[in-house]
Amino acid sequence: MTFASASLFAQTSNIEGIDFPHEISINDENFVLNGGGLREKLGFLNLYVGGLYLSKNNSDANQIVMSDNSMAIRIVIASRLVSRDRFIEALEEGFKNTTVGKYTSMEIESFKEYLSDSFELDDEIMLVYSSEEESTYLYKNTEIRGQFSGLPFKQALFAIWLGDKPAQESLKKEMLGL
């Protein structure tokens, strides 16, 4: 699985100071930016900016989460307060709150291992689901870190941001382009 970002001449959207290409290509699949926004805490701590990429725009969260179509979430760290440990804790909490899909404690441990190095400002995390391979790939700064098999894992992972109990309701709406 190879990661290739959009060309230098591609249009971008600036979301909270971070440029998000309108189009990206991953493993010969093209995606469009569906929407994106800021994940914050306590109303004033900017943590990261997240963008949702789909093959075509869609504002139906449940349809996106349950879909077997290829898609991606791009996360760019926007604060030095976001450590690797805090990011993992937030993912664990998100998995506990999800009401769809399936994941195992071994998969959570794998996430921790794949993201074992420290986080820096402007680090990029990409979560890419490939329908052809029925796998979700984890990238950090365009380097593949790991792979998780099956649609149920993708459903649980994407529900962290788009499910019934999202990490942040306003970010969910922004990712859905609402």
Side-chain angles (χ1 to χ4, degrees), residues 26 60 65 78 97 153:
I26 302 169
D60 185 327
V65 168
N97 288 335
F153 179 83

Side-chain angles (χ1 to χ4, degrees), residues 98-176:
T98 189
T99 58
V100 298
K102 288 184 190 175
Y103 65 92
T104 66
S105 58
M106 287 177 45
E107 288 168 325
I108 301 300
E109 290 304 312
S110 293
F111 239 108
K112 291 178 184 180
E113 289 174 25
Y114 296 150
L115 295 175
S116 60
D117 54 329
S118 64
F119 279 26
E120 303 293 330
L121 191 63
D122 297 325
D123 273 353
E124 178 181 278
I125 305 295
M126 286 284 292
L127 307 167
V128 181
Y129 178 71
S130 169
S131 61
E132 185 177 306
E133 299 171 27
E134 287 193 19
S135 290
T136 302
Y137 294 87
L138 169 64
Y139 292 84
K140 184 175 179 199
N141 298 326
T142 71
E143 174 191 334
I144 192 163
R145 294 293 184 96
Q147 175 183 354
F148 302 88
S149 296
L151 178 61
F153 179 83
K154 173 263 176 187
Q155 291 168 333
L157 181 64
F158 277 61
I160 291 172
W161 292 274
L162 302 172
D164 294 337
K165 295 180 180 179
Q168 183 174 313
E169 190 65 40
S170 61
L171 176 57
K172 173 183 174 177
K173 288 179 181 175
E174 291 168 328
M175 292 175 91
L176 293 172

Side-chain angles (χ1 to χ4, degrees), residues 38-114:
L38 177 65
R39 170 72 167 107
E40 58 187 0
K41 195 140 186 138
L42 305 174
F44 65 92
L45 292 175
N46 297 350
L47 301 179
Y48 61 80
V49 179
L52 174 65
Y53 284 90
L54 305 171
S55 57
K56 63 180 182 178
N57 288 341
N58 187 339
S59 61
D60 185 327
N62 189 57
Q63 187 178 61
I64 294 166
V65 168
M66 300 309 290
S67 169
D68 190 24
N69 294 329
S70 295
M71 60 187 67
I73 291 177
R74 178 181 179 227
I75 296 169
V76 180
I77 305 302
S79 170
R80 295 188 196 286
L81 297 175
V82 180
S83 67
R84 175 241 180 228
D85 291 339
R86 287 187 178 140
F87 188 81
I88 293 294
E89 284 174 20
L91 273 176
E92 288 176 322
E93 182 180 332
F95 276 118
K96 288 177 187 172
N97 288 335
T98 189
T99 58
V100 298
K102 288 184 190 175
Y103 65 92
T104 66
S105 58
M106 287 177 45
E107 288 168 325
I108 301 300
E109 290 304 312
S110 293
F111 239 108
K112 291 178 184 180
E113 289 174 25
Y114 296 150

Side-chain angles (χ1 to χ4, degrees), residues 2-64:
T2 58
F3 175 78
S5 63
S7 74
L8 294 174
F9 302 106
Q11 290 184 331
T12 62
S13 288
N14 188 284
I15 304 170
E16 300 292 331
I18 308 289
D19 286 333
F20 278 74
H22 286 195
E23 298 178 9
I24 60 173
S25 177
I26 302 169
N27 205 31
D28 297 326
E29 290 192 71
N30 296 319
F31 300 96
V32 295
L33 179 62
N34 195 69
L38 177 65
R39 170 72 167 107
E40 58 187 0
K41 195 140 186 138
L42 305 174
F44 65 92
L45 292 175
N46 297 350
L47 301 179
Y48 61 80
V49 179
L52 174 65
Y53 284 90
L54 305 171
S55 57
K56 63 180 182 178
N57 288 341
N58 187 339
S59 61
D60 185 327
N62 189 57
Q63 187 178 61
I64 294 166

